[in-house]
C-alpha cells in the first residue's frame, strides 16, 4: 500500500506515524502487523540469540563495549528514549535493559543487580530474620501529632519538664530530634518533632520509626483537617493510636463532642465501645500527664515491641546536620542490635566510623540499645532523614553500600515520575493499579475511596498483583488513564509501549505519596470558586449629579476602606440593588486612590442603579479560589 494509506491504517489502530518519518522501529511494525492479524515474517535460517548480562549500574562507555557496538549508536538509542547521558555517565539496570532489547539483545541479570535495597524493606527483613528466643522487650517509640495549636509542643515541653523534675541527671540541653523519659521504671522514646512538616522528608522516603501515635485533640476545638490526616496515617500504616484530649481546663471544653466526632471518623474510644484509649489532659496545667504516660506503657505492653540487642545493628536517621567541631552528625533511633563507639556504619550515601555517641542531655554514651535515640558523628557526609543506618564489618563494605546509593541517585532512568493527570473534559480520573501484594492493593483502594466527591469521578478501571505489563498500558491508552505501580516492577516492553501511546506510568514506594499525588490530580480538575473579599463599607450622604449610566455622589466611609480599583455593591434596606465601578475618587477635591474609615469622599460611579442618599456602598474584591477536598 502507499505510504499515505499506511499512515491512515496505522492511525486506525492507535499508532501515529509522523508525516516526516520515513521508517518505524521493528517493535511498532510488529505490533501494527499483529493488530491487523497479519503474520509477522521472521527471517529464516539459524539466528544466534545475542545475550548480555547487565549490572545494577553501568557507564555508557562500558555499556557500548559490553554490547560490542559503537558508543554513538548506544547514545542515539538512549536519546530516542529521552535519556540524555554522556559517555562517562551511568544508567541504571532498567534503562540499560530497555536499550539492549531495542538493539536486539536478550538481557540477563548479573548477580550484583540483586543487591538488597537498603530501605524500609531491608530493615523489615532484618527484623523478621531474628530468632524468637533472641527477641527482648524494647521501649515504645512515640510520635505526638495533631492539628496546629492543639497543644502538641506544650505537651512535649510538659513531659520534658517532668523528666527534669523527677531528678534525672542533666536535663535536655540539645535538640537531637528525640528524647527518652522514664516512667514506673520503664523508658518511653518520644520523637521531639511535633507536627507534620518535620516528618515530610522521612515520609517521602518511606521511613516509619513510629510505634505509637498520640493524637492530640483540643477539647474546645474538636476534629480539624490535620487531625483527620493523622487518623488516616495511623490507618494506612497500621500504627496503634492513643488520643490525648487536651485543654480540658478551658470553660468551653467539650470532651463528649470530641469523642462523638472521633466516632464519626471510625475512631471509637473505650467509653464508646471501641478499643482506642482516650486520656483527658491539660498540657498547660500538667493535668493527666502521668495517666497518659501509663497508658502509653500499657499499650506498649499489649503490642509487645521487641528487638534483638545482640543481632544485626540497624536504625533510621531522623535528623542530620553539620555541627561545628564534629562535622557531619545525625540522630539515629536504633531499631535492632546495639550501636557502639567505633562501629563502622553506612547510611544512605554516607559512611564512616562512629567517633562519638551522645544522648539529648549531651552525655557521652558507650552504646545505644534498641529504641534509643543517639546523636552520632564520624560520617563522610550528611545522611538524609529516613536513611537506614547499618553496621558493617569493614570500611570498604560500608563505602560500597554508600557508593551503590550514590550510583542509584545519579544514574539516568527512562521511567521517571510524571504528574498524574485526569481527563479535565469529562472530569474523571481513570486509574490502573498494580501492587506487590493483595494487602497493599486493598489499602490503596480504601484510601482512594475516601477521595470520592461530587465533582470529579475516580474510576479504578484495572487492578492486580504483579509487574506492570503491556495490557495495563493498552487499557490506560484506550481510557485516557494512568498506570500506577506500588512496590512493583515495570516490564521494559510496557515502558516502550507507554512511550508510543503517551501513557503515564508512575511507581510508588509509599502510600502517603501516592494518595497525595492522586489528591492533587483531583483538586486540579475542580472548577475554581469566585471568592468575594469585603474591603469596606460607606454611606451615601449626598447626590451631586445623575446622568445615564453614571452618577456623582458624596459619602463617608463607615468601616474598612473604599478603594478605586475595587468593585462596589449598592445596598438599600439590606438588599443588593446592583453593582457599580469607581471611575474617580476625590477627597477635598484632590484625586485619591482610597478613602479610609471616618473619611468623607466624592466619587464618580459607572452604574445602572439610581443611587439615593442613605444607600450603602460595599467595596469588595473577587479572587479565584481553588477548591480543596
Amino acid at each position: 500500500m502507499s505510504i499515505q494509506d499506511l499512515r491512515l491504517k496505522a492511525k486506525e489502530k492507535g499508532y501515529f506515524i509522523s508525516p516526516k518519518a520515513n521508517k518505524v522501529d521493528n517493535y511498532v511494525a510488529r505490533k501494527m502487523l499483529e493488530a491487523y492479524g497479519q503474520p509477522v515474517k521472521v527471517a529464516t535460517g539459524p539466528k544466534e540469540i545475542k545475550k548480555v548480562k547487565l549490572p545494577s549500574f553501568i557507564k555508557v562507555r562500558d555499556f557500548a563495549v559490553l554490547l560490542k557496538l559503537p558508543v554513538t549508536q548506544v547514545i542515539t538509542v538512549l536519546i530516542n528514549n529521552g535519556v540524555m547521558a554522556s559517555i562517562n555517565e551511568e544508567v541504571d539496570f532498567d534503562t540499560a535493559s530497555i536499550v539492549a532489547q531495542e538493539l536486539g539483545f536478550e538481557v540477563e541479570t548479573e548477580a550484583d543487580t540483586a543487591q538488597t535495597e537498603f530501605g524500609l524493606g531491608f530493615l523489615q527483613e532484618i527484623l523478621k530474620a531474628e530468632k524468637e528466643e533472641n527477641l527482648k522487650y524494647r521501649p515504645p517509640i512515640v510520635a505526638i501529632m495533631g492539628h496546629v495549636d492543639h497543644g502538641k509542643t506544650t505537651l512535649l515541653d510538659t513531659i520534658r519538664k517532668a523528666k527534669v523534675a523527677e531528678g534525672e541527671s542533666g536535663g535536655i540541653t540539645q535538640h537531637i530530634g528525640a528524647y527518652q523519659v522514664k516512667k514506673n521504671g520503664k523508658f518511653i522514646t518520644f520523637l521531639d518533632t511535633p507536627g507534620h512538616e518535620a516528618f515530610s522528608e522521612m515520609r517521602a522516603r518511606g521511613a516509619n520509626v513510629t510505634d505509637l501515635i498520640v493524637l492530640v485533640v483540643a477539647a474546645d476545638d474538636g476534629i480539624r483537617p490535620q487531625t483527620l490526616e493523622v487518623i488516616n496515617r495511623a490507618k494506612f500504616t497500621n500504627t496503634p493510636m492513643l488520643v490525648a484530649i487536651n485543654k480540658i481546663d478551658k470553660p468551653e471544653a467539650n470532651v463528649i463532642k470530641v469523642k462523638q466526632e472521633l466516632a464519626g471518623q471510625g475512631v471509637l474510644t473505650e467509653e464508646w465501645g471501641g478499643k482506642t484509649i482516650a486520656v483527658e489532659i491539660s498540657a498547660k496545667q500538667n493535668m493527666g500527664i502521668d495517666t497518659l504516660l501509663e497508658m502509653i506503657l500499657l499499650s506498649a505492653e499489649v503490642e509487645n515491641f521487641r528487638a534483638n540487642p545482640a543481632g544485626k545493628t540497624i536504625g533510621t536517621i531522623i535528623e542530620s546536620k553539620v555541627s561545628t567541631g564534629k562535622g557531619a552528625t545525625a540522630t539515629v533511633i536504633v531499631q535492632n542490635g546495639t550501636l557502639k563507639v567505633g562501629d563502622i556504619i553506612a547510611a544512605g550515601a554516607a559512611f564512616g566510623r562512629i567517633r562519638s555517641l551522645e544522648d539529648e542531655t549531651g552525655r557521652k554514651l558507650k552504646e545505644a540499645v534498641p529504641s534509643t535515640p543517639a546523636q552520632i558523628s564520624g560520617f563522610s557526609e550528611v545522611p538524609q532523614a529516613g536513611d537506614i543506618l547499618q553496621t558493617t564489618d569493614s570500611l570498604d563494605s560500608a563505602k560500597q553500600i554508600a557508593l551503590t546509593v550514590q550510583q542509584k541517585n545519579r544514574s539516568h532512568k527512562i521511567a521517571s515520575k510524571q504528574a498524574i493527570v485526569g481527563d479535565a473534559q469529562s472530569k474523571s480520573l481513570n486509574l490502573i493499579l498494580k501492587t506487590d501484594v493483595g494487602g497493599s492493593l486493598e489499602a490503596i483502594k480504601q484510601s482512594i475511596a475516601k477521595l470520592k466527591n461530587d465533582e470529579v469521578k475516580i474510576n479504578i478501571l484495572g487492578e492486580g498483583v504483579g509487574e506492570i505489563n503491556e495490557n495495563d498500558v493498552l487499557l490506560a491508552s484506550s481510557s485516557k488513564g494512568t498506570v500506577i505501580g506500588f512496590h512493583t516492577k515495570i516490564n521494559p516492553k510496557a515502558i516502550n509501549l507507554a512511550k508510543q501511546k503517551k501513557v503515564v506510568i508512575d511507581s510508588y514506594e509509599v502510600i502517603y505519596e501516592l494518595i497525595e499525588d492522586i489528591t492533587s490530580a483531583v483538586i486540579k480538575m475542580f472548577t475554581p470558586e469566585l471568592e468575594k473579599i469585603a474591603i469596606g463599607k460607606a454611606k451615601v450622604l449626598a447626590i451631586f449629579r445623575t446622568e445615564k449610566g453614571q452618577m456623582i455622589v458624596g459619602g463617608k466611609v463607615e468601616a474598612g476602606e473604599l478603594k478605586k480599583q475595587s468593585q462596589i455593591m449598592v445596598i438599600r434596606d439590606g438588599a443588593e440593588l446592583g453593582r457599580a465601578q469607581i471611575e474617580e475618587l476625590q477627597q477635598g477635591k484632590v484625586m485619591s486612590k482610597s478613602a479610609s474609615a471616618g473619611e468623607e469622599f466624592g466619587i464618580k460611579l459607572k452604574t445602572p442603579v439610581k443611587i439615593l442618599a442613605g444607600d450603602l456602598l460595599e467595596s469588595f474584591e473577587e479572587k479565584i479560589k481553588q477548591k480543596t477536598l
Side-chain angles (χ1 to χ4, degrees), residues 368-444:
V369 295
S371 293
T372 303
Q375 188 179 73
I376 56 182
S377 65
F379 286 106
S380 58
E381 61 181 83
V382 179
Q384 290 185 37
D387 279 339
I388 303 300
L389 177 140
Q390 62 178 306
T391 56
T392 65
D393 296 329
S394 67
L395 270 173
D396 282 343
S397 57
K399 192 173 183 178
Q400 190 55 49
I401 291 168
L403 185 64
T404 303
V405 175
Q406 287 169 16
Q407 284 177 316
K408 184 182 176 186
N409 291 343
R410 68 170 178 254
S411 68
H412 292 259
K413 297 175 186 291
I414 284 175
S416 57
K417 189 169 284 184
Q418 303 169 65
I420 297 174
V421 180
D423 184 359
Q425 199 169 2
S426 63
K427 286 201 179 266
S428 61
L429 184 62
N430 298 327
L431 305 173
I432 292 89
L433 302 177
K434 295 300 281 287
T435 63
D436 53 347
V437 291
S440 299
L441 184 62
E442 287 309 308
I444 291 166

Side-chain angles (χ1 to χ4, degrees), residues 104-371:
F105 289 83
E106 189 176 296
V107 176
E108 291 180 2
T109 308
E110 260 189 20
D112 71 342
T113 308
Q115 283 185 48
T116 308
E117 285 293 336
F118 304 109
L120 191 63
F122 171 65
L123 188 150
Q124 289 167 342
E125 288 303 313
I126 292 290
L127 296 176
K128 283 178 188 174
E130 293 290 357
K131 289 180 181 177
E132 184 71 23
E133 61 267 25
N134 296 332
L135 296 175
K136 295 181 180 177
Y137 172 84
R138 64 171 179 79
I141 301 164
V142 181
I144 293 178
M145 298 182 179
H147 193 73
V148 65
D149 293 331
H150 276 206
K152 303 182 297 292
T153 307
T154 308
L155 177 56
L156 278 164
D157 287 343
T158 304
I159 293 169
R160 259 198 224 99
K161 287 170 188 170
K163 171 190 172 89
V164 177
E166 284 181 14
E168 290 191 31
S169 60
I172 294 169
T173 57
Q174 58 181 358
H175 179 90
I176 68 168
Y179 64 85
Q180 283 191 321
V181 298
K182 202 172 187 180
K183 182 70 182 173
N184 299 339
K186 290 183 177 179
F187 283 104
I188 302 169
T189 300
F190 283 95
L191 293 173
D192 190 12
T193 42
H196 305 259
E197 298 77 9
F199 288 96
S200 60
E201 191 176 356
M202 288 174 67
R203 181 181 63 188
R205 305 185 72 242
N208 184 33
V209 296
T210 308
D211 294 321
L212 290 170
I213 290 173
V214 172
L215 171 60
V216 180
V217 187
D220 62 337
D221 198 16
I223 300 293
R224 305 292 292 154
Q226 281 178 306
T227 319
L228 294 175
E229 192 181 313
V230 176
I231 291 168
N232 287 333
R233 180 179 299 180
K235 287 177 182 175
F236 294 155
T237 55
N238 291 320
T239 306
M241 184 175 74
L242 289 83
V243 178
I245 302 174
N246 193 23
K247 305 186 183 183
I248 57 164
D249 55 308
K250 286 198 165 188
E252 57 270 35
N254 190 337
V255 175
I256 293 171
K257 185 186 170 210
V258 170
K259 290 180 179 178
Q260 281 176 333
E261 289 178 351
L262 285 167
Q265 298 300 326
V267 179
L268 294 172
T269 57
E270 290 175 323
E271 297 88 336
W272 285 62
K275 294 180 180 179
T276 304
I277 295 171
V279 182
E280 296 174 26
I281 68 165
S282 169
K284 202 171 183 180
Q285 304 297 331
N286 198 7
M287 293 166 58
I289 304 302
D290 282 341
T291 306
L292 177 63
L293 295 177
E294 284 166 7
M295 289 301 106
I296 289 171
L297 288 173
L298 179 65
S299 297
E301 199 175 309
V302 171
E303 295 296 333
N304 195 20
F305 300 119
R306 296 184 300 165
N308 179 9
K312 166 79 175 171
T313 304
I314 197 158
T316 301
I317 303 290
I318 59 166
E319 280 196 0
S320 58
K321 62 183 178 181
V322 175
S323 177
T324 307
K326 293 180 184 176
T329 64
T331 301
V332 63
I333 288 192
V334 180
Q335 286 161 291
N336 198 63
T338 301
L339 204 59
K340 304 181 185 76
V341 173
D343 278 348
I344 296 165
I345 50 170
F351 69 97
R353 189 189 295 272
I354 297 180
R355 287 203 302 265
S356 66
L357 272 173
E358 292 181 2
D359 67 8
E360 69 273 11
T361 67
R363 184 168 57 97
K364 299 282 184 186
L365 302 173
K366 287 183 180 178
E367 61 180 34
V369 295
S371 293

Side-chain angles (χ1 to χ4, degrees), residues 497-561:
L497 185 58
K499 287 177 66 188
Q500 296 286 343
K501 296 283 190 181
K502 295 182 179 175
V503 167
V504 172
I505 300 178
D506 270 348
S507 289
Y508 291 86
E509 298 295 318
V510 190
I511 288 182
Y512 309 129
E513 200 177 5
L514 188 159
I515 299 303
E516 282 169 3
D517 284 1
I518 292 175
T519 305
S520 177
V522 170
I523 288 171
K524 282 175 185 173
M525 284 189 281
F526 283 154
T527 305
E529 294 175 328
L530 205 60
E531 186 181 24
K532 191 164 70 175
I533 301 165
I535 297 170
K537 188 183 287 185
K539 189 172 185 178
V540 178
L541 301 176
I543 309 298
F544 299 126
R545 186 185 296 173
T546 303
E547 297 174 2
K548 190 176 180 182
Q550 194 171 276
M551 294 188 74
I552 297 176
V553 304
K556 186 176 183 179
V557 180
E558 293 186 335
E561 62 179 340

